[in-house]
Amino acid sequence: MNLITTLEADLTARNRKNWYVFLIIQKALVEQHFKWLKMEVKSETKSLYGRGNLIVNGKIYDIELYYSPFYDFRFDRIYIRDKSIQYSSKIHLYSDMSLCLYHPVIDKPIMHIVPLFKMIPWITEWIVFYNQWKKYGVWLNKEIRH
């Protein structure tokens, strides 16, 4: 284990130890910037839960998200609850149908987390690129292949 890996593990451990304060801060940041999301801390799962409707190009998307320092690899699990979206590794979805919005190692700032409020605009970007993928058959944004 190198020094950076050790320091990042310590950061995760601190966020887990102080999970409630960590999630309250994340909740406040999301609520300050995104009024369309209704957020709540779920004590039983030590996670932040949010739900809301996002309108992109006149279409309403039902967004559901979870955020927790206890999740492996990345703290976020963000879903678009739309049955027309089917799993494909070409459209940047994980097998649980959560959105792949960034690479959890390469795109993550060293010794930092990606705060939830910074990810929310990426949902709209994902939707735009998904609709382009449906039209052209190619993911038109920069990507790291799965």
Side-chain angles (χ1 to χ4, degrees):
M1 210 179 238
N2 67 32
L3 179 60
I4 291 175
T5 305
T6 302
L7 291 170
E8 287 183 338
D10 182 57
L11 175 63
T12 298
R14 281 185 280 139
N15 287 333
R16 287 178 176 175
K17 180 180 178 187
N18 301 309
W19 65 270
Y20 188 78
V21 172
F22 172 74
L23 293 177
I24 287 291
I25 292 168
Q26 296 296 318
K27 177 181 183 289
L29 289 167
V30 170
E31 289 174 338
Q32 179 181 0
H33 293 90
F34 304 99
K35 305 291 184 213
W36 59 271
L37 277 167
K38 302 300 179 223
M39 307 297 297
E40 66 178 292
V41 174
K42 300 277 193 175
S43 295
E44 63 278 4
T45 57
K46 297 180 180 176
S47 65
L48 182 59
Y49 171 77
R51 190 148 203 171
N53 291 319
L54 177 61
I55 301 171
V56 179
N57 294 328
K59 183 175 179 186
I60 299 170
Y61 293 89
D62 180 15
I63 307 299
E64 187 173 30
L65 56 85
Y66 301 85
Y67 192 79
S68 174
F70 294 95
Y71 294 153
D72 291 331
F73 305 113
R74 63 192 213 288
F75 289 4
D76 62 285
R77 301 296 186 269
I78 300 173
Y79 303 91
I80 298 174
R81 299 299 186 195
D82 183 331
K83 293 185 191 304
S84 70
I85 299 174
Q86 300 296 313
Y87 175 77
S88 171
S89 62
K90 294 177 183 177
I91 61 170
H92 299 278
L93 285 173
Y94 289 99
S95 59
D96 69 350
M97 296 296 288
S98 63
L99 302 182
C100 175
L101 299 172
Y102 65 98
H103 191 283
V105 175
I106 296 169
D107 293 332
K108 191 178 92 176
I110 294 174
M111 296 176 15
H112 293 283
I113 59 152
V114 180
L116 183 58
F117 84 98
K118 289 198 174 187
M119 288 182 226
I120 305 299
W122 301 345
I123 300 168
T124 302
E125 288 181 5
W126 189 96
I127 291 168
V128 168
F129 287 111
Y130 170 73
N131 286 323
Q132 290 175 338
W133 176 81
K134 285 192 327 187
K135 187 174 184 177
Y136 302 113
V138 176
W139 197 263
L140 296 175
N141 195 9
K142 64 181 181 175
E143 66 178 334
I144 298 170
R145 292 254 171 196
H146 289 214

